[in-house]
Amino acid sequence: MFARDIGPDSASALSTQNLYGVHPFYMCIEAEGQAHGVFILNSNAQEVETGPGPHLVYRTIGGRLDMAFFPGPTPEEVINQYLQHIGFPFLPAYWALGYQLCRWGYGSLDAMKTVISRNQALGIPLDVPYADIDYMNHYEDFTEGGNWTGFPAYTKQLHDQGLHLIVIFDPAVEVDYSSFQRALNADASFIEWARDDQVPHDIQDQYPMAKNTKIMLGNVWPDRNTAFPDFLDPRNNTDDWWAGEFAQFHNTLPFDGMWIDMNEPSNFDTGTYSSLEQRLANAKLSCPISGADSSLDVPPYPTQAVFQRDGEYLFSKTLCMLGKTAHRTRNFYDTKSLYGWSEARATYKAIPQVTGKRSAVISRSTFPSSGRYGGHWLGDNTARWEDLQTSVIGVMEFNMFGLPYVGSDICGFNGPSNEELCLRWHQFGAFSPFSRDHNSEGLPDQDPAVWPSVANAAKIALTFRYYYLPLLYSLHYNAARYGHTVIRPLFFEFPGDNEALEISEQFLWGSALMIAPALYPGQTTVHAYFPYATWYSLQPETYGQQMFSGFNDVKAPLSSLTPVFVRGGFILPRQAANTTTTASRLNPFEVLITIKKDAVSSGELYYDAGDDIVPNDNIEQHPRVHWQFSFSTSLVGGVFSGNCETCSTAVKPPTLDTIEILGYQSTPNFTQFKLDGSTVNLDMSKTFYDASLQRVVISSKNLISLLALKKKFTLSFSNNYY
């Protein structure tokens, strides 16, 4: 494990290459479903070898061993204990849970406008258009290119429509323009050479601003050499300059979120040298591979990820290990894998100064506790079925790592996608917490509107997502407040079920909602596993039907909803879907109640302003309403109650107007509904009981107030003949 700019390789039988991030944590499921976890805090290059027994061998080539053991005994408790150790995840803005559309290669603002408008015209829910590095002037951070004239005005137009904008920023800063000069004026730190005699002055002295410094110059996207900010600077000078650059640029382009890429950190074409003559002959960054200065760049044991690959070094695709960080108090050899984490922290800290609102930071490179500051996309995947399949695993894994705001590039980033793959990826991606379509430069468009069938499937799946966004947001709130997962493998809820331990292509939203996407070409059914519990179908063709435990072949049409099921014994909040979260949040609330025999159903709803800053980064100080719901049944009738665990008068939620119940075995007397003892007049045009499905729908405008002034309620009713 060593943070490196290498994308996932899902087509290989076993790839042991370094990837973007480092997470030295594992969880073991023991006999009878008991679990424990182990975390080894170390930022140096490291590796793990598994063997029979089972056993594992852990090796690191530097730093210290700081180990923590988490006894569980359930998988969810292991993760909760781990997150108590490393820190709970951040709470994304509500709009950041909406669908997001991006590509590298728009080329111009007009091209971006065309793609966004054609998807809006088809009624596809959309909240966040993106701009990749195309929008910059020669790929320089905090600039706009000539083909993007009018970008600020277009951003205002997006805001007027209730949308939000995220743009990309890379850490490497070109060393001959104003942002770099302001960094020097602010005494910000950059990664540096250890000594002046190591500096390649034939390169360095070409840049008046960098001349007479030890700053290590690399080559990334900008036309000329770049410097890498030292976000471990203990004086905070670098973080303050970084925040100032965001704030200044935000005055020009009022973006809403930050996407930080290339932060392993990545450097192009890092070379080698064995002599001064070799170094002078190379215009790009070169690192020593012989002599006294090579001890960190060519250590005695470089780990298997380097040793087994000809021509690879620890510094391949990055900076020289002998570099200095933390304002020259640490070696880059020791801190490289912390770079993405430190940039995410600096970017997250900048948000109050930049936008004044809660936002979302998306980072490629991550490390334990990165989830406190942002989310993660699974990197530069490839448009192939294997990458779709492993994306399901990746989303579950990063929830275990404390980064619940995670997702893959829908349809695939590298290589041309195709209609069926893109359709199925949207059907899965609509259930990832971070849901974004993104592809690479020079490839055909793959936004939903390209294919009518994909547009239809994406609209269906995303409309369902938006309908249940109050549930997804409540799960994120629970993660931020208590340290829980949002997406879970089946075995998290059923740890004693040996079959569930083997399921890698289904997953849960929290405890209640199970998704079984189609992940293979030509697939028309999913061989889905249902652990022993009560399950109801939410697919339109079989809505409300109970599912047998064990394996079931469920239909997975291209033209309908992803196979999705709800577990009995829960209460799920939801809101009618619009094409933006801004509009959806104005709709009345609903709840879906699912019956489990001889059990009380329960659930919760978190609601807040959606984008207000969490005071002092303390979720307990955040203004919100947190309703806890319960529903009990008997032969006589039913009782639905709510208790507002935390109620802020500053928060004004919509009313709860509709209650749906699945698995209710008697016909309610719709004239006998009472709210806190007073008779309720129901809207009988929307209220009914379907005996064949044992389904109840109860509706009335402004049925139940969820304002803080009313901290409890009880809605009771009797059945016919009682």
Side-chain angles (χ1 to χ4, degrees), residues 111-134:
M112 178 180 176
K113 288 180 178 180
T114 297
V115 171
I116 300 305
S117 62
R118 73 187 181 203
N119 284 275
Q120 289 178 309
L122 293 174
I124 297 167
L126 174 63
D127 266 83
V128 188
Y130 271 69
D132 205 324
I133 56 175
D134 317 274

Side-chain angles (χ1 to χ4, degrees), residues 407 451 563:
W451 300 282

Side-chain angles (χ1 to χ4, degrees), residues 127-145:
D127 266 83
V128 188
Y130 271 69
D132 205 324
I133 56 175
D134 317 274
Y135 82 90
M136 300 177 183
N137 180 40
H138 295 277
Y139 304 133
E140 296 171 341
D141 275 346
F142 314 114
T143 66
E144 288 181 55

